[in-house]
Amino acid sequence: MSNGSAAVLFVHPKTLAVERYIVVTDGFSEVGFLNEIEYVDGEIYANVWKTNYIVRFSAKTGKVTGWLDCNGLDPDPQRLTYPYVLNGIAYDKERGNLAITGKTWPSLWHIKRKPAR
């Protein structure tokens, strides 16, 4: 679960009690404003609110393993400004792709995942 900070909370599915948490860091500082998270094979993808970036990080340590630059995906950047920002990530396990979109965006992009470096 994300609360919009650099922390990601892992909660018990029935009681919602916090079992542990991680802080997302990129080697220089914490990465905050995390929003719309998706767990995929031991990693988490999260929108960085009000940006065109998705951060990819270890679900175990919080260490950043990569960034997705989504500049250019907004289908109408003159009209679709805040609050109509990049804000949708879904994992298609069958194909191994991520589906990416934004608030009220009419388009959905399917992005092929690559292994973390």
Side-chain angles (χ1 to χ4, degrees), residues 18-31:
V18 175
E19 295 181 333
R20 70 181 184 94
Y21 74 94
I22 56 174
V23 176
V24 179
T25 59
D26 65 2
F28 298 101
S29 63
E30 294 180 357
V31 178

Side-chain angles (χ1 to χ4, degrees), residues 28-44:
F28 298 101
S29 63
E30 294 180 357
V31 178
F33 300 104
L34 301 179
N35 185 27
E36 179 51 31
I37 61 176
E38 186 74 10
Y39 181 89
V40 181
D41 298 331
E43 290 189 308
I44 298 174

Side-chain angles (χ1 to χ4, degrees), residues 39-114:
Y39 181 89
V40 181
D41 298 331
E43 290 189 308
I44 298 174
Y45 292 79
N47 285 108
V48 180
W49 188 52
K50 291 190 183 181
T51 76
N52 291 320
Y53 294 93
I54 294 172
V55 63
R56 178 180 182 176
F57 55 93
S58 165
K60 188 178 247 185
T61 66
K63 182 179 178 187
V64 171
T65 57
W67 292 89
L68 282 71
D69 181 346
C70 297
N71 280 296
L73 295 185
D74 184 339
D76 190 353
Q78 298 301 315
R79 188 175 63 82
L80 295 173
T81 60
Y82 181 78
Y84 307 109
V85 295
L86 180 73
N87 191 44
I89 307 169
Y91 178 55
D92 179 347
K93 187 174 183 177
E94 187 175 304
R95 293 189 179 109
N97 294 337
L98 294 173
I100 308 293
T101 192
K103 290 185 186 227
T104 74
W105 288 10
S107 305
L108 180 70
W109 289 265
H110 297 273
I111 298 174
K112 181 100 174 138
R113 292 184 327 116
K114 291 186 177 182

